[in-house]
Amino acid sequence: MLVNPITQQPLALPLPQPNLITPGLKAITQLPHGLQAQMLTKVMNTAFAVPLAEDEFDFLAGRTIRIGLRDLNANWFVSLNKDNQLLVRLSGEEDASIEGDWLAFLKMATHYCDPDTLFFQRQLSISGDTELGLHVKNLLDSLEIDTLPKPLARSLTLSHHYLTKLAL
């Protein structure tokens, strides 16, 4: 039986298998482009509020990184605007890209797996300006789950627990 790692209460229903999660994520990528970009911009600025306030994203000024989810055929182009906020677009030119399946990004975000291992196993890849890509990877790796907004932190903690139970 799975237990919620935050409340330590048994979960009434088992979490869906990863192959059942993919269609839900795919549905997000099917939203109208304007709505999808607006939603992702808000989520990213909320999630990265602390590093943004500490100017840890300054390296992204005037540059764009593409985050590609191969299995969902989704590409998000992330840059820093003049107000020091992240801006997500669904198309554009990138200086660098980080690509992989959504599960590899989840493993990195939850610290379930060391990002370097994911890159060595070719679950994630960097192309273009590799220095920029590595800077993004290192920033993502340095983030602590407890500094994220509570709903996101809870989701990532539960996801980490789930990945551990499934031994993915």
Side-chain angles (χ1 to χ4, degrees):
M1 174 184 292
L2 292 177
V3 175
N4 182 322
I6 295 173
T7 66
Q8 297 302 313
Q9 299 296 316
L11 294 172
L13 298 172
L15 292 171
Q17 295 293 326
N19 61 346
L20 296 177
I21 295 172
T22 303
L25 291 173
K26 184 69 173 172
I28 292 170
T29 67
Q30 300 303 310
L31 290 171
H33 285 190
L35 180 60
Q36 187 181 150
Q38 182 181 9
M39 179 184 72
L40 289 169
T41 295
K42 182 164 181 64
V43 166
M44 290 188 77
N45 280 295
T46 301
F48 297 115
V50 172
L52 281 165
E54 295 173 354
D55 298 326
E56 291 183 39
F57 277 93
D58 283 357
F59 68 90
L60 204 50
R63 310 195 71 198
T64 300
I65 184 134
R66 179 177 58 85
I67 307 297
L69 299 175
R70 293 180 193 134
D71 54 338
L72 300 179
N73 197 28
N75 291 291
W76 300 318
F77 295 76
V78 183
S79 57
L80 193 68
N81 69 17
K82 61 181 171 65
D83 297 324
N84 202 38
Q85 294 291 299
L86 295 171
L87 176 65
V88 179
R89 295 179 323 279
L90 301 183
S91 63
E93 296 290 322
E94 77 256 21
D95 296 294
S97 67
I98 298 178
E99 292 185 287
D101 290 345
W102 73 268
L103 189 57
F105 281 100
L106 180 63
K107 287 177 181 179
M108 184 170 63
T110 61
H111 300 283
Y112 176 77
C113 193
D114 176 63
D116 291 330
T117 300
L118 295 169
F119 284 96
F120 288 130
Q121 293 175 347
R122 298 185 189 265
Q123 292 183 42
L124 291 174
S125 63
I126 294 176
S127 61
D129 182 342
T130 53
E131 184 178 344
L132 176 61
L134 288 172
H135 203 100
V136 171
K137 177 201 67 100
N138 291 336
L139 178 63
L140 295 174
D141 186 39
S142 71
L143 291 176
E144 296 297 325
I145 290 177
D146 60 351
T147 65
L148 298 173
K150 289 194 186 310
L152 181 57
R154 274 187 245 134
S155 296
L156 290 175
T157 300
L158 189 57
S159 296
H160 182 273
H161 181 70
Y162 183 61
L163 289 170
T164 303
K165 289 290 184 186
L166 291 177
L168 294 175

